[in-house]
Amino acid sequence: MNFVHGFLALSFGLVLGVSVLLRPFIKDISKADHEYQVRIGNQIIVAEAVGSGNERERGLSGRESIGANEGMLFIFEKPDKYGFWMKDMEFGIDIVWLKDYKIVGFTENIDPQIGAKLADLKVYYPSEPVNMVLEVKAGRTGILGAKIGDYIKTKPLVFRG
């Protein structure tokens, strides 16, 4: 009986240890399921795609920063004039407004409004209905060289075959 108990305890310990060690990697794999390569001209942005209400509302808030080639891609079911705010943001962003993969506008160098009351936060809207929005680091759209009327290309970073 002691051998069986010892074997079970050792097995449980191994499973627990392996799961603790692999947890960060599993999280990264899960995150990669929602990442897209977004090509604007000859530049590539790796963007986390969000589609649900909670993910959309949270957006990039709570993060300290994003890299020069990182962003967040918001995907909507239908075109509309969706509003974006800087709630709990720690850094400035540029917004690229998109309709059917075509750039229809930019809002650049948006101040994070750190310390502003919720009621005082400015809400940013596109000039026309959009069904996608790309948020990137402030100042990045100028470096991308993108213009209104340009098309973007997207592809998932993890392919399901």
Side-chain angles (χ1 to χ4, degrees):
M1 222 37 178
N2 281 340
F3 174 76
V4 172
H5 286 134
F7 178 75
L8 289 174
L10 179 63
S11 298
F12 178 75
L14 284 171
V15 168
L16 182 62
V18 168
S19 67
V20 168
L21 289 173
L22 290 178
R23 184 176 181 164
F25 300 107
I26 292 169
K27 183 179 178 185
D28 286 345
I29 291 168
S30 174
K31 182 180 174 189
D33 282 347
H34 303 292
E35 288 186 336
Y36 281 76
Q37 174 183 301
V38 179
R39 180 180 290 276
I40 301 178
N42 64 355
Q43 300 282 319
I44 293 176
I45 301 291
V46 175
E48 183 179 338
V50 293
S52 76
N54 290 340
E55 290 176 319
R56 286 181 192 154
E57 186 174 336
R58 185 174 45 255
L60 291 168
S61 67
R63 300 178 193 205
E64 291 181 18
S65 66
I66 58 171
N69 293 322
E70 295 177 335
M72 184 164 278
L73 183 65
F74 296 80
I75 302 169
F76 299 95
E77 294 79 26
K78 63 181 175 106
D80 203 346
K81 288 189 172 185
Y82 300 99
F84 283 72
W85 61 357
M86 298 297 283
K87 182 179 180 241
D88 298 327
M89 290 290 292
E90 300 290 325
F91 54 93
I93 61 169
D94 290 351
I95 296 177
V96 182
W97 306 102
L98 303 153
K99 183 174 180 191
D100 301 328
Y101 300 94
K102 180 180 175 183
I103 298 173
V104 297
F106 301 98
T107 305
E108 299 178 82
N109 296 306
I110 300 173
D111 178 54
Q113 299 175 275
I114 296 172
K117 294 178 183 174
L118 189 61
D120 295 333
L121 289 173
K122 183 173 180 180
V123 180
Y124 299 88
Y125 293 94
S127 60
E128 63 182 84
V130 298
N131 58 356
M132 297 173 80
V133 172
L134 177 65
E135 292 182 344
V136 293
K137 188 174 188 146
R140 188 70 174 114
T141 56
I143 296 168
L144 292 171
K147 301 177 293 308
I148 292 175
D150 286 354
Y151 283 87
I152 69 162
K153 294 180 182 176
T154 65
K155 70 177 178 179
L157 289 179
V158 175
F159 295 98
R160 304 279 179 215

